[in-house]
Amino acid sequence: MYLAVSSPAPGVVELTALDADGAVATRERIPEAELPVRAAALEAGHPRWVWADTTRWYPALLAAGTRVERCVDLRMCRLLLRNAAAARDTELARAPRDRWDEPRAVAAASDTLFELDAPVPDDDPVAELLFQRAVIAASATPGRLALLTAADSVGALVAVELEHAGLPWDAVRHDRILTELLGERMPGARPAHMERLVGEIRAALDDPDVNPDSAPTLLKSLQRAGLRVSSTSRWELKGVDHPVVAPLLAYKKLARLYTANGWAWLGEWVHGGRFRPVYVPAGVVTGRWASDGGGALQLPQQVRGAVVSDPGWKLVVADAAQLEPRVLAAMSGDAAMARAGRAHDMYQGMVDAGAVETRSQAKYGMLGAIYGGTTGESGRMRPRIERAFPRAMAFVEAAARAGEAGDVVSTWLGRTSPPGRDAAYDETRSDDERARARSDGRAWGRFTRNFVVQGTAAEWALCWMGALRRMLWELGGGDADPCPLTARPHLVFFLHDELIVHAPAGLADAVADALRASAAEAGRILFGDAPVEFPLTVAIVDSYADAK
DNA sequence: ACCGTCGGCGCC
DNA sequence: AAAGGGCGCCGACGGT
């Protein structure tokens, strides 16, 4: 049932099997070097592995060829339970913070001061597991919190598997893309096309020394040349008629590519035909993933042509269409919005329902509702969205008001927003301070408004991944087949509402079906029979660039 | 030399 | 056209 793993001393692993009631069935200690081999045999019994940190244990198991079906990541679960409003009346709320509340300690590799200290044995994972189970059972929403802890834990498994597999990356194609867009690499200087643009910028500004990478000096130079701008940002420059604008915007575009995903990035992050970024599951307050190195979640369109499947394999790229509006429709129980979502393109569905005239109005209107936009097109659409989808709007408005009042809000499964700052606004004295306090309050309201939708969308994505991961394993032969994870169809990329599976060409169609089936399953897991659909755009391609 | 912050921009 | 949510990363820059 449960199989807890910890390290009571360096090089030693303690394995504790629990039965369904949480009673200890067996306990033994083995050398850590033997764990990968033992794990393969233990996994045959389909235990739920229990460990402090998935990143501490799972990489070595995967490297040895053992894929794990399920786990509890105790530290992730402690964090979300500690913050959860639904667990406010449990023992956890009264318990002082302890080491389970601390972020995972990273190895202090070269720090001799710490090496002199006696190594600290792991805290007992069995006690913490039983504690967390009791907290969930005593909470206001045990079913939802149990689901959320399971979802976060499966996300932790997927993140390690993504890093293990890596995203197939063709360094030669990447180099070709860079050379075509940026020009030849120049030792000690910018690439050729960028250098040429710098020349044009300097000529247009009549300023032979200006460095377009330095915003302050560039701004002064622009103003000296007569441009009425208050920043050097793209959207402000776009509205100005001056010969410097075109080369400067072109330069900015190339400079971004050069510094963020240029040759230096390629050399640092792509090895052996794979891009291996570092994912941080639930690294964002809303429960979204973050990344820590490699910039996996900001991979620009320009370089996606370098993502290429292996010979005989395909990339199956799936994108959830208008995920956040659909999640909002489901959470708020807005039947009219759910009906608009019957269309594969929900925004077109809103046009067809007569809520707005154009697709673009629908899109900006919905984004405004979810983000709290008040100006521009999204602000203008607000009354019409409100009339067409009153329950959805009331739902996000309530979240915004809660934030403004200093209350916390929670996602569908119960992830809870951080507390707002003390709302001692009335005691502030000057008009300026009161105005700033009001503005801060509204900003926090926009945050809580978005939190409930973005966070629930992240939960949907976790359920999608979890269900898909199981289906992919079965497609690859299931437990009966001893072949490792990366010899089967397997996940290679995750981007909030988008997944990429690397699959043998002959299984690509089946993978596409699995992606759709798992999306439907995610909807059922979260929202039961609510009439909200989660359609995908799926493409079977050789290169990521061909997916859209 | 190092560190934190900021402007700017990539992604959703 | 717009400017409202969440991030990470880069170079520049101002502080120590």
Side-chain angles (χ1 to χ4, degrees), chain A residues 21-92:
Chain A
D21 301 326
V24 173
T26 65
R27 174 169 277 163
E28 62 175 319
R29 291 189 175 189
I30 62 170
E32 181 158 352
E34 289 176 17
L35 179 63
V37 172
R38 283 297 305 281
L42 291 165
E43 178 61 16
H46 303 283
R48 186 177 289 276
W49 295 77
V50 178
W51 44 45
D53 302 280
T54 306
T55 52
R56 160 70 175 86
W57 297 100
Y58 196 28
L61 301 193
L62 266 183
T66 301
R67 174 263 195 190
V68 157
E69 184 181 317
R70 49 202 187 137
C71 81
V72 179
D73 187 301
L74 290 171
R75 207 177 302 278
M76 285 180 84
C77 295
R78 166 62 83 95
L79 176 66
L80 75 89
L81 291 173
R82 172 66 80 179
N83 295 334
R88 193 177 277 155
D89 296 325
T90 66
E91 203 185 328
L92 176 58

Side-chain angles (χ1 to χ4, degrees), chain A residues 264-321:
Chain A
W265 179 92
L266 183 59
E268 184 175 356
W269 291 102
V270 177
H271 301 283
R274 294 290 186 270
F275 167 42
R276 289 196 169 78
V278 179
Y279 292 99
V280 186
V284 178
V285 281
T286 58
R288 268 191 178 180
W289 287 20
S291 63
D292 180 18
L297 306 180
Q298 299 119 253
L299 211 58
Q301 296 288 341
Q302 289 160 309
V303 300
R304 293 186 180 186
V307 182
V308 179
S309 52
D310 288 350
W313 288 58
K314 291 283 183 184
L315 299 171
V316 189
V317 182
D319 178 317

